Amino acid sequence: MGRDFETIPLYSQANVLFAAQDHPLFRKEAIRPEDLLEYPWLALFAVNIALAGIDAYFSRHDLPNPQVAIQSNSIQIALKMLTDHQCIACMPAPLVEAFPDAGLREIDIEGFRWEVPTGLTYRKNMADFATIARICRLLKRETRKHAAR
């Protein structure tokens, strides 16, 4: 973001494919990359990073990218589309873990799971503000606790 900003890395975030627990893909003996193209895809608000990971995966398999049927800024709408309309989505694993009753299941397909560093970025000239320093301490402590689980 430039030299005026400081980034504190907190953890690596796994990004994986999810679908409803009763999605037809899970009735297959083995899910192939081309099977993923038979269903609508949903993209969340942070679409650029996910689309790059999706593109890399399908490119490695000499397949076209899936067509994104819907983009959502709302996690509630995204969860509803996944469970009610057989959509597939690449989503951060921690986001799905935050909704354990959503009825989603990871599509475990070789070579798709990827990670991205996740952290906190703030303006360097704000580092001495008590609120920023407290937020940094709290986030570091909470991510350490989560990583220890």
Side-chain angles (χ1 to χ4, degrees), residues 15-17 25 30-38 41 48-66 88-90 106-115:
N15 290 275
V16 294
L17 293 179
L25 279 172
I31 300 172
R32 302 168 303 149
E34 53 269 23
D35 296 332
L36 301 172
L37 297 173
E38 296 175 15
W41 280 58
N48 291 340
I49 294 171
L51 288 179
I54 292 166
D55 179 61
Y57 176 79
F58 284 98
S59 179
R60 285 192 307 273
H61 292 282
D62 294 322
L63 292 169
N65 283 331
I88 295 171
C90 173
E106 181 180 341
I107 300 172
D108 188 15
I109 189 161
E110 187 177 338
F112 189 86
R113 188 180 187 98
W114 47 278
E115 295 190 359

Side-chain angles (χ1 to χ4, degrees), residues 80-112:
K80 183 97 172 124
M81 292 302 295
L82 289 169
T83 57
D84 292 359
H85 298 285
Q86 298 183 341
C87 288
I88 295 171
C90 173
M91 297 170 52
L95 180 62
V96 175
E97 291 165 7
F99 296 92
D101 298 328
L104 298 184
R105 178 176 165 189
E106 181 180 341
I107 300 172
D108 188 15
I109 189 161
E110 187 177 338
F112 189 86

